[in-house]
Amino acid sequence: MRLTVNGAQHHLVGLDPRTTLLDVLRERLHLTGAKKGCDHGQCGACTVLLDGRRVNSCLILAITQPDARVTTVEGLGHRGEPHPVQQGFLEHDGFQCGYCTPGQICSAVGMLDEVAQGWPSAVTESDSEDLLADAEIRERMSGNLCRCGAYPNMVPAIREAAGR
Amino acid sequence: MKTFEYRTATGLADGLEPGAVFLAGGTNLVDLMKLGVATPDVLVDVTRLPLDQVTELPGGGVRIGSAVRNSDLAADRRIRTGYPVLSQALLAGASGQLRNMATTGGNLLQRTRCRYFMDATMPCNKHLPGSGCPAREGDHRNLAVLGGSDACIATHPSDMAVALAALDAVVQIDGPAGSRSIPVTDLHRLPGDTPERDTALEHGELITAVDLPVLPVAARSAYRKARDRASYAFAVGAVAAALEVKDGLVHDVRLAFGAVAPKPWRALAAEQALRGQPATRESFLAAADAELAAAQPLRDNAYKVTLIRNLTAATLSALTGDVR
Amino acid sequence: MTNTLSRAVGSPLARLEGPAKVSGAARYAAEYPQDQMAYAWIVPSPVPRGRLDAVLTDPAEEDDVLVVLWHGNAPHLEKSDDPELAVLQSDRIAYRGQPVALVVARTLEGARRAAQVVQLDITAEDHDVELRADHPDLHTPDEVVPGVPADTATGDVDAALATAPATVDVTYSTPALHNNPMEPHATIARWDGEDLVLYDSNQHPSGIAKTLGTVFGLPAERVHVIAEHIGGGFGSKGSARPNAVLAAMGSWVTGRPVQLALPRQAMFSMVGHRAPTVQRIRIGASLDGELTAIDHESWTQTSRLFEFVESPGVVTRSMYPVPNLRTSHRVVPLDVPTPRWMRGPGEAPGMVALECALDELAIRLDLDPVELRARSANPGYLSCLRRGAERFGWSGRDNRPRQRREGDWWIGTGMAGATYPANAMPSTARVRALGHDGYEVAIGAADLGTGARTILAQIAADELGVPVDDVHIRIGDSTLPVASVAGGSSGSASWGWAVTGACRALRESGDDEATFDTTELVGKMPTDRHAYGAHFAEVRVDAVTGEVRVSRLFGMYDTGRILNPRTARSQFIGGMVMGIGMALHEESVLDPALGAWVNHDLAEYHIPAHADVEQIDAEWLDEPAADLNPMGAKGIGEIGIVGSPAAIVNAVWHATGVRIRDLPVRLDKLLPSL
Ligand SMILES: Cc1cc2nc3c(=O)[nH]c(=O)nc-3n(C[C@H](O)[C@H](O)[C@H](O)COP(=O)(O)OP(=O)(O)OC[C@H]3O[C@@H](n4cnc5c(N)ncnc54)[C@H](O)[C@@H]3O)c2cc1C
Ligand code: SF4
Ligand code: FES
Ligand code: FES
């Protein structure tokens, strides 16, 4: 099976059908940026972009994704230049232990794209409102838990990364 | 997780061999497989079938393909304006990541979050028939007050399904014995003494789409969900409502309750009590009471009765005023 | 002495490991690739009490299984002072979820499956998992923490309570809570000959090397523990947990490196938790709010393996000067997992009872809750109360409940005091001059996200008189000089002290290398010093659903010198966020019939999500405690969770008029009274 991760093609030989995308990334490709916090879709630490969309890689069986394009935290930004969301997290101390951080960052990148497409959230009251208001960012990022409680610093980090 | 064979579905009515199940977004099935609660021999992936579109039906109304992702459906302009309760219900559920994976069919067929059910080492009539129901004496704070049985008091966890129940949605099914359609309110069954069976589907039957009928009242509809934290939590009580008021009287109404029963609970008794009544908080409360009269709360879930009563009144009241 | 010249300490330096953390390059315990690595999975006991007679395995079914270990075939381990580490050594089952077997397989998938299908032959016995204040087996522990007595009494509490013009007599309870760091406990173990190498997620590499050495009969220096980055711990990684021993055992038997990363569900049994407490608190006061008597009684539970006593009453011994004061602790061993430290152990639940009871007293006396406390506050605490009240906008508060309503929301404010002991523990640091490459500072400390690495670099830079960039910090490794545990909010003080000493020794000696051990100095440090603080909360309660939101939370702290305002603020806020969880969300639910925590995952055990955290901020007095340690620092890691839950509970009362005395405050408890 073929899998493109951060632009590089990988051929996965002898893939166990039970192996999740997360375990392929971590255990086979040694891309340990994506974290395992719960393995059941309950924390967001394993968030990666699958064909551009943010997903929980712990609930995706790798075998179901032939030819998929995966972006992990390692694939954001270029050649030593951090992605604006990564930069924002650095500037605002948007993390402590850092374990939820790659998931938060990938999630934020995917989320900003959803906002650009005009997708509503559970707190969106009307079309005309600011989809990157603080309450919007919080709701949209709620699929990523942070036990260190670094949330308040992530909100401005994400807002600024969006150029606001 | 038990090992299994994987293949992609090629046609609609392929059917399934014994031990085979359909796989869609996987957000529930893969979860349960890891837990050892689901142990299929074969997974048949339905996400490559051409079922991922939202289309308009010839006579009006909307057809939602069963593989449409929850996030795409919530953002669909036709849904947001014609059936806002559905968009709101979807957005109130799970997380951005999960909604990107979860599908319409999978969401409808997700299984209960009863804590005993989700642990294969615990007894539970739903995952091991005959092993007993520890929830009745044990932890049932988020389990059913309506429609439960001695054997099982699980609640159905879906938000989307509650909105669909209120909207008179119809489920399109394809199977080895041909295709059929049933109202979404008939899809899930009450546990009785066979709680291991969640739905009216036969083995190998595939949900191909969910149809929303032309429903003018749906344009003024809303979903309100109460939960234990502000986001990324299942409902502990929810109400889907649509309301049309004429001359101060309830002209048309749709009402369904979530997180209180083994299925999304269409509140027909409440609707009946409301039609033609003044659109006031008092009538709304009386209607909720009419439906909740059948409630059989246990030690720790009686609050749900108050919660649903309050939510019903608040959601309907908001719909009388607000033209969102 | 160098303080006036300092530039780095006190500056908001960004975390040194930040770029590695945001790019995914930072490696945590389970992320060190090994040749031929095998994967281990634990088999948890399905009963809370009984005997494991046999493990029946069918290896043919799972062909990639290397071995299934249980007490019938596991290698013998030496005794350590933690009986929990005697894994797979006996047939006794002490709690549900206790590891009774270990599967080691070539693949992760194979290990997990084999662990699910392994057949256990178990004789279950009657169990008892219910904490009751009248449990017949309750007893008085010898000590609640080494050196801290279970009971204390001064004055005549009964007489003072009987004659006090105003009294409250209330019982508060706090549920079992789980630390749930985002990175579950994980170990990769490898034997290099007779030497044991462990990549392990923990708060104390030096201590774990020693413990594992004891367990495997090796001197500590033959065990190499690496913990470069740790995904949080909050107390649960303070000492060796069974995962480290099991991984090492699996590796010994199979001859391969073995990875054991605990599934989240196992985080609820074998790594510790905060025990539930029941606390009765009686306060006597004069009509103008002078505290004359306090009696604080606590009941809690422990396991049958190990007596760990959650000690809520200890905080009451130092918070307010009271002439007649009695505190007591009773504990009952049950067939439950062993409780351990969780952020603010004792203090966090204790301050729920004390500070909520004081709120109730203020109401009875018709006094402003800030004023009531101000009467008994020491100067540092008083400044926190005053400045915190000002920054929060407390003045002008209508003290009556249920007065503010906006739409469906009842709105209210509440406050509570905070405290945490100023600790330091002996540590050793080494500094080496590297010529043009600056200096290497080495200490076996651990950075769980506290910012320790960064702060130590700041301290060293100032002491050496060089820019921070010239300091290379090495921590997270047991082969470095022995350091104390990252716990008890003592890391910066303990390690900073050792680093300061080593840097000064280097400069004074003119040598290329200097080592400094603080054991003697720490022994002379005052032991009765505390950090203080005050928390202020604004909540809104949905009149329709009873849902509670914390719209504002503010903490003002007297925590000595703040070494790095940027990481300090994050620590304070992080503690307060956990305080929101403790007040509103977190509860581990034990099914009495099964003896199991039934909500043992992150979908059912709710920790605060982004949307639960609205406006939250922290400020501090920044007054160095010069007599404590050379940095003048007190700890900051835990005080944020001490008192913030009480502030929220008190605010909920103010919003609604409903007093909830059993945490967490949830909609089902509020709804009947809204
Ligand atoms: C942490 C977490 C939080 C969540 N929170 C919420 C929440 O708040 N509200 C909420 O509503 N949901 C919530 N969910 C559940 C989520 O919405 C469901 O898991 C998801 O909708 C299932 O869709 P899926 O496509 O992934 O289904 P799958 O997991 O692929 O399948 C689920 C079931 O449906 C069957 N199936 C799928 N498609 C078809 C078809 N076309 N025909 C016949 N059978 C089919 C499968 O065989 C399987 O039995 C949460 C899930 C998680 C993990
Ligand atoms: S309520 Fe139903 S699902 Fe839950 S334990 Fe009982 S039988 Fe199982
Ligand atoms: S590891 Fe995937 S959501 Fe937690
Ligand atoms: S930074 Fe530690 S969990 Fe988020």
Side-chain angles (χ1 to χ4, degrees), chain C residues 365-379:
Chain C
L365 294 172
D366 198 17
L367 273 177
D368 184 290
V370 173
E371 295 309 320
L372 172 67
R373 288 168 175 85
R375 250 156 247 220
S376 307
N378 62 47

Side-chain angles (χ1 to χ4, degrees), chain C residues 476-561:
Chain C
D477 191 314
S478 67
T479 58
L480 302 174
V482 173
S484 58
V485 62
S489 297
S490 69
S492 301
S494 311
W495 311 329
W497 203 338
V499 167
T500 303
C503 291
R504 288 181 187 176
L506 185 87
R507 288 185 64 165
E508 281 159 20
S509 69
D511 294 343
D512 285 350
E513 180 174 323
T515 300
F516 191 83
D517 177 350
T518 63
T519 307
E520 208 172 302
L521 291 174
V522 168
K524 293 186 205 141
M525 176 192 160
T527 52
D528 56 346
R529 300 291 302 280
H530 291 80
Y532 287 93
H535 289 114
F536 296 82
E538 180 186 88
V539 304
R540 51 185 203 283
V541 180
D542 190 327
V544 174
T545 62
E547 288 166 288
V548 182
R549 301 280 185 266
V550 179
S551 29
R552 289 196 293 142
L553 188 59
F554 183 77
M556 176 63 81
Y557 303 101
D558 169 27
T559 43
R561 181 120 187 258

Side-chain angles (χ1 to χ4, degrees), chain A residues 4-151:
Chain A
T4 306
V5 184
N6 302 331
Q9 271 212 10
H10 299 272
H11 290 271
L12 302 175
V13 184
L15 180 69
D16 186 322
R18 299 174 292 183
T19 306
T20 60
L21 177 57
L22 178 62
D23 287 333
V24 164
L25 294 172
R26 286 175 63 82
E27 304 300 329
R28 275 186 86 140
L29 307 180
H30 303 306
L31 288 167
T32 50
K35 303 299 182 204
K36 188 183 283 186
C38 71
D39 216 15
H40 289 273
Q42 304 167 352
C43 77
C46 63
T47 304
V48 299
L49 301 169
L50 181 65
D51 295 325
R53 284 185 167 207
R54 53 174 175 163
V55 295
N56 305 96
S57 61
C58 69
L59 287 182
I60 294 177
L61 297 170
I63 200 169
T64 64
Q65 302 300 322
D67 306 318
R69 246 180 344 103
V70 179
T71 306
T72 70
V73 73
E74 290 97 335
L76 296 173
H78 333 253
R79 288 179 235 103
E81 275 264 305
H83 184 281
V85 174
Q86 290 170 320
Q87 189 61 39
F89 272 62
L90 287 172
E91 277 167 20
H92 291 272
D93 204 33
F95 55 91
Q96 293 180 40
C97 77
Y99 200 76
C100 72
T101 310
Q104 301 275 2
I105 290 172
C106 287
S107 182
V109 172
M111 181 274 271
L112 292 174
D113 190 51
E114 293 166 7
V115 166
Q117 294 178 53
W119 285 12
S121 84
V123 299
T124 310
E125 302 257 323
S126 79
D127 267 353
S128 55
E129 76 178 44
D130 179 7
L131 297 183
L132 283 174
D134 286 359
E136 284 277 2
I137 293 179
R138 288 187 211 114
E139 162 58 26
R140 290 169 188 269
M141 290 298 297
S142 281
N144 293 83
L145 301 179
C146 174
R147 188 54 157 165
C148 296
Y151 302 127

